[in-house]
Structures are given as structure tokens and as C-alpha cells.
Amino acid sequence: MKDLLVTISFLLCIAFLGCDAQQRFSYQQLPASYVSNMQLASLEKEVDAIAAKAFDLTTVLPRGYSKEGKIDYTAQLQEGINRHTNVVFPDFPVMINDNGLTLKSNSFVVFRTHSALILKPTAKRNFFMMAIHDVENVKVYCPVLIGDRKNHLDAGGEWGMGISIRGAANITVFHPVISSCWGDGIYIGQSPTTKKIPFNITINNAVLDNNRRNGISVIAVNGLKLIHPVVSNTNGTPPMSGIDVEPNDSSALVDNILMDHPVTFNNGKYGIVIGLDRLPSTSARGVNISINNHLDDGSATAFWLGGSKDVYKKGTLPLRGSIQVTDPVWKNNATPFKGYKTYDFAPVSKFTNITVEKKGSRNEVQKIKLQHGNKKNLEID
């Protein structure tokens, strides 16, 4: 089991060295206090017990293998994953290419103290490091992924993902530490082949830093728990949000989402985005999102709530359900909250007990109420 703070410090150092120069964005070291309250003692015992019985992927590596993460072992690792149900990664960094690694159903995947996947630089615009696609009943423990944004071989694209979860069901990822991805740290969306929507996904204690597009993108899901994610320094290409819930079109579903104690720190544009304007259709759709104790520190905007378009085609139905944001604390933001001009087709949204800490102003909550709190379907206490 990795020492939490040592691992995070190592990865944040790598991320800092890989930061792209960007106007108005300055990389900031994540305060240790934002991650030090993670309770991982019980997880350590669980990881050790599974690893003791799992297949050691070190044994599939060629004789004389490198422990420096500079030789591509994608094919060997994938072969081991294909042949065994439960696997444990080598206890040292290994390099993979843009084919990524694909997990299978009914499996346990364990990363050890010094395990890490390092992406070989690529020019590809759309890829993933680890795919959990169209499978079910998968648990991944303590994955460490380091992307190629420092040495990416092309300037285009924004879809180089760390962990890609698409069309999968009953998936749990414990304590992923993901940095420097060309796109998102974690992407959750519909299957590219079956169009299935992910179901019952849990991400516990994620630490996501210096990813280029979003820390976590939620494009489609039914049943998602994000438990104490810490997302920092997202910068490079829009939206540049820590957590972005934003369906691509009306075929998607984003429902039964819980974010508990999310921390977003120094993200280039937004801490959390809820953007639903593409979702309304002629079919009844439910959206239920609960966000408890969100802390944003230093993102340009702490929270952006997208509403709905001014005009939809005849027969379009308003979204059902609710968005509940309780006890958020937003501090050191240029703009604590951004809203939309209409919420007529959005679910009822309620913000309760907002705390804004902004230098030079004691009236930010009142300003938010005056500017945004008089719209249909939006209530700000």
C-alpha cells in the first residue's frame, strides 16, 4: 500500500514539470490538508488480501525487464489481464502505449505501493490508458496513471483519457491517482458500440491533478458516487473543469449522482460544472444530482450551473428531478458562481447554506442571490 502523501507529492511534482504555459493560469501545489483526511487503513488490508491471491503481472514481463517505466510492456500486461481474473501490477512503474489496457468482467485489479502506468508519448488525439468498457463487476484498487501531456507529439485533440468507463456496470475504483492526461483524468459515458449507459459506478478518494481538459467528465451515467474526489490544476483546453457533468445530447442519461465532499482546487476555469442544455427532448427525462460539502479553492469559477436553451422544438419536455447543492464553500475565486439566463427546462435546483470567502468582499452570497435567485427552477438560500 502506498504512502499517500509521498505518492501524491511525487505525482504533483511530475505534473508541475509538465504544465503547459497558459495565459492567466499558474500551477499551485495542492495543500496537504485537502487530502490528509482520507481514511485508507481498511482499504490497505483489503488490497493486501486480494494481492496475496492475485496473479502477479510481473511474471509476464520479458527476462531482464526494466523497472524505470521506459520500455513499452502493453502487450505483455494485456495478455496477463486477458488470461487471469484477478491481477496485481508490478511494484514499479511500467510504460504503456496508446492502445491502453482493457479490463474484463468479474475481475479485481490491484496496484501496489510503487505501481504506476506511464504513457508513452503519442500523437493520437483519442485514446485511453485504462478502459472499463461494456463489462461488469470490476474493482480497481489504487491505480496510478501518468499521462503524456508534457511530451505529447501533436497539438490537436482533447480526448486522451486516463480511465475510460463506458457502458459498464457495477464498477468501483478505489483511490485513483491520475495526472497529466492529454484529455480527462476520468471519463464516464455511453458505450461507443452498444450505446449502453454506465450503471452503478463508484469512485472513492480520487486524486486528479494537471489534466488538460477535465478532471472528471460525466457524459452519461445512471448511479454514480464520487466520494471525496480531489481535483486540482485542470488546465489546457476547455472546459478546464474539475468535475464536469455535461451530456453530449438527448440520448444520454445523467441521473442518481452523488458527490460527497468534493474538493476542487485551482482549476483553470471551473470547479464543478453542471451543464444540461443538450439533454431535454420530447421524452421525459429525470436528473437527480446531490452535491454535499463542495469545497473550491482558487478555481476561476467555483460552480457553473448551466440551464436550458431559450427555445426548444415543439413538444420538448422540461427535465424532471432535482439538483441539490448543500453547504458549499467557495473561496479565492474570481467569480464564485455563474448561472444561465433561463432554467425553464432544467430540473429544480436548490443551493443551501452557501459560504463564499473572497478577499475584499463580504457580500458575495447576496450578490449571487440577487443575480441568479429569481429565476424559475432555481432557488438560492
Side-chain angles (χ1 to χ4, degrees):
M1 182 68 182
K2 59 178 71 61
D3 181 283
L4 176 63
L5 294 181
V6 170
T7 299
I8 292 171
S9 297
F10 169 72
L11 290 175
L12 294 185
C13 180
I14 291 175
F16 175 77
L17 293 174
C19 273
D20 296 342
Q22 181 181 317
Q23 186 179 10
R24 298 180 182 177
F25 179 82
S26 176
Y27 184 94
Q28 301 293 326
Q29 190 75 25
L30 178 69
S33 61
Y34 289 161
V35 295
S36 61
N37 62 343
M38 294 180 183
Q39 302 298 319
L40 296 174
S42 60
L43 180 60
E44 182 174 358
K45 295 178 182 179
E46 186 174 351
V47 169
D48 288 342
I50 295 170
K53 298 179 180 180
F55 176 77
D56 186 352
L57 290 173
T58 309
T59 62
V60 302
L61 300 182
R63 182 177 298 180
Y65 56 79
S66 169
K67 294 184 178 182
E68 298 181 356
K70 296 181 179 180
I71 298 178
D72 179 4
Y73 292 135
T74 309
Q76 293 90 342
L77 295 172
Q78 188 64 62
E79 180 181 3
I81 292 169
N82 292 344
R83 291 186 176 184
H84 299 274
T85 301
N86 302 330
V87 298
V88 56
F89 272 81
D91 198 14
F92 50 82
V94 291
M95 176 178 280
I96 61 171
N97 61 44
D98 57 25
N99 289 325
L101 298 175
T102 298
L103 306 187
K104 64 182 184 179
S105 291
N106 305 308
S107 62
F108 292 79
V109 177
V110 175
F111 283 62
R112 300 296 285 165
T113 303
H114 304 102
S115 301
L117 298 179
I118 299 174
L119 183 65
K120 182 179 181 180
T122 178
K124 192 181 289 187
R125 298 186 174 195
N126 194 328
F127 59 92
F128 51 79
M129 294 181 68
M130 179 177 288
I132 308 176
H133 292 176
D134 294 307
V135 296
E136 59 184 10
N137 306 323
V138 178
K139 291 186 177 181
V140 184
Y141 295 84
C142 307
V144 176
L145 281 66
I146 303 170
D148 73 333
R149 69 170 297 173
K150 179 182 177 181
N151 299 307
H152 195 72
L153 302 179
D154 186 83
E158 57 188 60
W159 307 283
M161 312 307 184
I163 295 178
S164 176
I165 302 173
R166 305 187 69 171
N170 305 322
I171 308 300
T172 304
V173 183
F174 298 94
H175 186 41
V177 179
I178 305 173
S179 64
S180 299
C181 290
W182 188 245
D184 306 334
I186 298 175
Y187 180 96
I188 303 170
Q190 287 175 274
S191 165
T193 53
T194 67
K195 303 304 178 183
K196 287 183 180 178
I197 290 174
F199 172 75
N200 190 26
I201 310 299
T202 301
I203 311 291
N204 278 314
N205 294 319
V207 180
L208 309 172
D209 185 72
N210 192 41
N211 296 296
R212 186 167 168 266
R213 190 177 75 153
N214 290 319
I216 303 174
S217 285
V218 182
I219 309 303
V221 74
N222 183 8
L224 170 65
K225 294 180 181 178
L226 299 176
I227 309 301
H228 191 46
V230 180
V231 190
S232 57
N233 293 301
T234 310
N235 73 96
T237 192
M240 290 184 273
S241 177
I243 302 170
D244 183 3
V245 180
E246 189 174 0
N248 288 331
D249 54 49
S250 61
S251 71
L253 176 69
V254 285
D255 199 10
N256 301 313
I257 296 174
L258 169 66
M259 303 183 201
D260 188 58
H261 286 81
V263 175
T264 51
F265 174 78
N266 195 49
N267 294 290
K269 285 198 172 182
Y270 308 105
I272 291 178
V273 166
I274 307 293
L276 305 175
D277 65 295
R278 300 188 188 99
L279 193 57
S281 72
T282 55
S283 299
R285 314 305 295 275
V287 175
N288 292 280
I289 301 173
S290 296
I291 303 174
N292 303 324
N293 300 101
H294 173 217
L295 168 63
D296 185 274
D297 183 356
S299 300
T301 298
F303 201 107
W304 189 87
L305 180 66
S308 50
K309 297 176 183 177
D310 295 333
V311 178
Y312 285 96
K313 68 180 181 180
K314 186 177 180 180
T316 297
L317 299 174
L319 298 172
R320 299 175 178 177
S322 69
I323 298 171
Q324 302 286 334
V325 181
T326 306
D327 299 324
V329 177
W330 304 329
K331 61 183 184 178
N332 302 319
N333 311 111
T335 305
F337 178 88
K338 283 186 178 181
Y340 208 67
K341 52 189 175 183
T342 175
Y343 293 91
D344 292 357
F345 285 81
V348 174
S349 301
K350 184 175 181 178
F351 290 74
T352 304
N353 194 30
I354 299 171
T355 299
V356 175
E357 301 175 13
K358 186 176 180 181
K359 293 179 180 179
S361 175
R362 298 180 180 179
N363 301 308
E364 290 299 319
V365 174
Q366 186 63 27
K367 290 179 183 178
I368 290 170
K369 291 180 181 180
L370 291 172
Q371 293 171 359
H372 305 283
N374 61 345
K375 295 183 175 69
K376 180 182 177 181
N377 292 345
L378 176 61
E379 181 179 346
I380 297 174
D381 284 350

